[in-house]
């Protein structure tokens, strides 16, 4: 079975940093592109970032360009999201999503507040 | 960037009703549209990809249609488990936009 498990969320002050991780299992991780998607409390889904299997291609949403960095370690079957200069509006549940959309993690909550 | 607009935002329906949700794209996306179902506190679940391809294990009462800029998700006979929020998504190119969601409520 495919499993995606996010971790690293928590409470952080505005301007702070956080690194999210997503541990993948049950499939050949290096073959699949991956995405990060978030959902603010009571709001809809927002795509954030994409990374190809070999990390050759990376995209970001305008809302996080220059502040967030996506990366992966295929040897560790792990996806990462480094989040810097965090703002209150970054408060959300963050999901890692396989490129086919059929597999999502359970999400990790990031709260940006003083 | 492509924008997706869903309608309605909220839909009140009864068990057994036929329900249709519409998703309009700001430009043609051919057939590259997915539909997701999300229940409170849970991750979204993929129902349909490529506009009309039902994912394995998804009940046949769900169906999708459309191409170009207009797409629909139809639930032929609403069941209690179907009360949830539904999102469309363009899945051919990046950015990877989602519609704003349609909440299906009990009437």
């Amino acid at each position: 079975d495919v499993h995606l498990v996010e971790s690293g969320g928590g409470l952080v002050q505005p301007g702070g940093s956080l690194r999210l991780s997503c541990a993948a299992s049950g499939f050949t991780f290096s073959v699949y592109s991956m995405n990060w998607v978030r959902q603010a409390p009571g709001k809809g889904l927002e795509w954030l970032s994409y990374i190809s299997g070999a990390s050759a291609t990376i995209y970001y949403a305008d809302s996080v360009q220059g502040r967030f960095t996506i990366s992966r370690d295929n040897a560790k079957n792990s996806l990462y999201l480094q989040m810097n200069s965090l703002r209150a509006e970054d408060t959300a549940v963050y999901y890692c999503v396989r490129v086919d959309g059929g597999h999502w993690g359970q999400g990790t909550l990031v709260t940006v507040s003083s | 960037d492509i924008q997706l607009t869903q309608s309605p935002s909220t839909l009140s329906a009864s068990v057994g009703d036929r329900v249709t949700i519409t998703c309009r794209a700001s430009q043609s996306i051919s057939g590259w549209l997915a539909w997701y179902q999300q229940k409170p506190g849970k991750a979204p679940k993929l129902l349909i990809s490529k506009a009309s391809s039902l994912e394995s294990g998804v009940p046949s009462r769900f169906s999708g249609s459309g191409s170009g800029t207009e797409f629909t998700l139809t639930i032929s006979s609403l069941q209690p488990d179907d009360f949830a929020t539904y999102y469309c998504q363009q899945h051919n190119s990046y950015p990877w936009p989602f519609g704003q969601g349609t909440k299906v409520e009990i009437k």
Side-chain angles (χ1 to χ4, degrees):
Chain A
D1 280 5
V2 172
H3 285 288
L4 297 169
V5 180
E6 300 94 339
S7 60
L11 175 63
V12 60
Q13 292 189 339
S17 298
L18 213 54
R19 189 196 197 206
L20 305 183
S21 299
C22 171
S25 61
F27 65 103
T28 305
F29 180 67
S30 61
V31 170
Y32 286 86
S33 301
M34 298 292 295
N35 293 273
W36 285 100
V37 173
R38 70 183 178 187
Q39 187 169 37
K43 303 297 185 183
L45 301 167
E46 179 188 16
W47 169 80
L48 299 179
S49 187
Y50 160 95
I51 186 168
S52 62
S55 305
T57 302
I58 288 174
Y59 301 119
Y60 295 100
D62 289 345
S63 59
V64 303
Q65 177 79 50
R67 299 189 300 126
F68 290 11
T69 302
I70 192 171
S71 63
R72 65 192 296 161
D73 185 336
N74 289 338
K76 295 183 178 180
N77 289 340
S78 293
L79 175 72
Y80 306 102
L81 187 67
Q82 176 67 43
M83 305 187 296
N84 298 331
S85 303
L86 284 162
R87 308 164 179 166
E89 54 265 36
D90 295 317
T91 294
V93 174
Y94 285 71
Y95 296 101
C96 62
V97 186
R98 205 171 77 172
V99 69
D100 55 14
H103 299 282
W104 295 57
Q106 84 289 350
T108 187
L109 176 63
V110 172
T111 303
V112 184
S113 175
S114 54
Chain B
D1 293 351
I2 296 169
Q3 312 293 327
L4 297 177
T5 303
Q6 285 182 237
S7 60
S9 297
T10 306
L11 189 160
S12 296
S14 301
V15 172
D17 283 354
R18 181 181 181 88
V19 165
T20 299
I21 299 168
T22 298
C23 179
R24 290 186 174 87
S26 59
Q27 63 190 76
S28 177
I29 58 172
S30 187
W32 296 98
L33 192 93
W35 289 98
Y36 295 86
Q37 176 194 67
Q38 188 180 32
K39 296 181 179 179
K42 300 293 186 181
K45 173 187 176 182
L46 180 64
L47 300 176
I48 289 169
S49 61
K50 297 178 186 174
S52 60
S53 180
L54 200 66
E55 292 297 300
S56 175
V58 175
S60 58
R61 62 182 180 272
F62 290 92
S63 63
S65 64
S67 66
T69 61
E70 188 149 339
F71 301 85
T72 58
L73 172 69
T74 299
I75 309 173
S76 60
S77 178
L78 199 65
Q79 298 302 301
D81 191 49
D82 301 337
F83 291 97
T85 300
Y86 294 83
Y87 294 92
C88 61
Q89 182 211 31
Q90 179 276 131
H91 64 105
N92 179 51
S93 62
Y94 287 84
W96 226 32
F98 290 87
Q100 80 278 17
T102 296
K103 185 175 184 179
V104 177
E105 298 180 328
I106 300 173
K107 191 172 183 179

